[in-house]
Amino acid sequence: MGAVVRFAREGEGWPAPAKINRFLHVTGQRADGYHELQTVFQFLDYGDRLWFERLPGGLLELTGGLPGVATEDDLVFRAARALQRLSGYPGGVRITLDKRLPVGGGLGGGSSDAATTLVALNHLWQLGLDVHDLADLGLQLGADVPVFVHGQAAWAEGVGERLTPLDQLDSPWFLVLDPALSISTAEIFSDPQLTRNTRPLKIPAFLSGAGANDLQAVVVRHYPEVANALNWLSKYQPARMTGSGACVFAAFPEEAEARAVLEQLPAPWTGFVARGCNRSPLMERLARAG
């Protein structure tokens, strides 16, 4: 894919925050090929941003979609079209996406963009759908979309759609490092050496420090640059990969400490510092919208 094009717009817009997986276990594989997971999603106060303008006649437009991806295949466009069809809303929308999050980084950018589209258009179009309706629609777009729609840090099971809110997570400052490559989730989950039988974990055990990312060993084996990023970041704090990678993260007690490490980041890697959030910035924006 080509480089992501940045678009600046006036006004506040709607946030599509990143997520990290504080841990990710693969506990089994179903007959349909999907994997049974356990994970904890936590949001970051950093991500993409979208703007929405009403259009007449059911017209849907998207500016700032992913290079190399047809507009009709973009998750943002698909979310708008699915909501339009479900609700029967006769009007349309022009959507502008300011893409900050890397593609294939394990930060949930595409799912978050889709969720923000559903939540914002439900408000803009005054559809009155509740969060469960939107989450059910979001699940048709991707397994991670519902957690962004609900907007609460959560313990997740199944394919990631069975959510238990977690409001007792700590909220450190995270340094997220992007080793400048994109990883296919399907490739990692299809690897024959992936651990698929990790013993299920209980929430108290996770809160006491248990848990790992079962996908990390596979990714590191195929992508040495991820291993290099983990090794570099681990010099400062324990580091872990999020999702199926390629981004890795470490928690710091103070923002200044995280930013001091970020300043030492070697090229061509990039990164950012963000606070962990148990309530999504999207929910804060929706509350302000009334």
Side-chain angles (χ1 to χ4, degrees):
M1 291 185 182
V4 171
V5 179
R6 295 291 305 280
F7 289 86
R9 292 294 306 272
E10 295 295 328
E12 182 180 7
W14 289 75
K19 61 82 178 169
I20 54 171
N21 298 88
R22 297 287 295 261
F23 86 103
L24 199 168
H25 287 174
V26 183
T27 59
Q29 187 169 14
R30 307 186 321 199
D32 62 6
Y34 285 96
H35 290 80
E36 292 284 342
L37 308 175
Q38 284 188 320
T39 190
V40 164
F41 293 107
Q42 189 172 31
F43 306 106
L44 303 179
D45 63 354
Y46 179 92
D48 300 338
R49 190 162 290 270
L50 297 95
W51 287 261
F52 303 88
E53 304 169 66
R54 289 187 184 89
L55 291 178
L59 185 64
L60 301 178
E61 294 182 1
L62 172 63
T63 300
L66 295 178
V69 176
T71 297
E72 294 76 12
D73 296 328
D74 192 288
L75 268 177
V76 170
F77 187 91
R78 289 172 56 202
R81 182 170 57 186
L83 186 60
Q84 188 184 55
R85 288 175 174 173
L86 175 70
S87 65
Y89 182 73
V93 68
R94 177 182 293 117
I95 305 172
T96 302
L97 170 63
D98 180 9
K99 191 70 183 165
R100 293 181 173 185
L101 299 176
V103 178
L107 297 173
S111 295
S112 187
D113 294 340
T116 293
T117 300
L118 295 176
V119 170
L121 289 183
N122 185 51
H123 173 78
L124 183 71
W125 289 344
Q126 299 181 335
L127 301 179
L129 299 176
D130 67 25
V131 67
H132 301 291
D133 294 328
L134 295 177
D136 287 345
L137 184 59
L139 185 58
Q140 300 174 30
L141 300 166
D144 287 354
V145 178
V147 72
F148 288 105
V149 170
H150 283 283
Q152 293 178 282
W155 175 274
E157 296 181 290
V159 297
E161 86 287 4
R162 298 203 308 268
L163 304 173
T164 302
L166 281 181
D167 58 6
Q168 64 266 56
L169 291 180
D170 59 332
S171 299
W173 291 91
F174 291 102
L175 170 53
V176 179
L177 191 163
D178 176 13
L181 55 96
S182 179
I183 293 177
S184 165
T185 300
E187 173 194 356
I188 302 306
F189 273 105
S190 64
D191 191 288
Q193 296 188 54
L194 174 67
T195 298
R196 294 177 169 85
N197 60 350
T198 297
R199 186 175 180 179
L201 196 63
K202 300 293 187 182
I203 292 177
F206 161 72
L207 293 174
S208 297
N213 186 335
D214 286 340
L215 307 185
Q216 185 170 302
V218 174
V219 172
V220 163
R221 190 161 53 248
H222 289 289
Y223 297 92
E225 196 68 4
V226 175
N228 294 339
L230 284 164
N231 290 336
W232 184 87
L233 192 52
S234 293
K235 294 188 299 182
Y236 302 96
Q237 288 286 357
R240 178 172 295 170
M241 190 179 76
T242 179
S244 57
C247 291
V248 303
F249 67 91
F252 292 81
E254 302 293 337
E255 180 182 11
E257 185 180 356
R259 294 199 179 280
V261 175
L262 177 62
E263 291 178 359
Q264 303 175 56
L265 203 61
W269 299 343
T270 59
F272 62 87
V273 172
R275 191 73 183 261
C277 303
N278 293 336
R279 177 176 164 87
S280 169
L282 176 59
M283 297 300 103
E284 305 291 348
R285 175 65 176 87
L286 182 61
R288 290 195 300 274

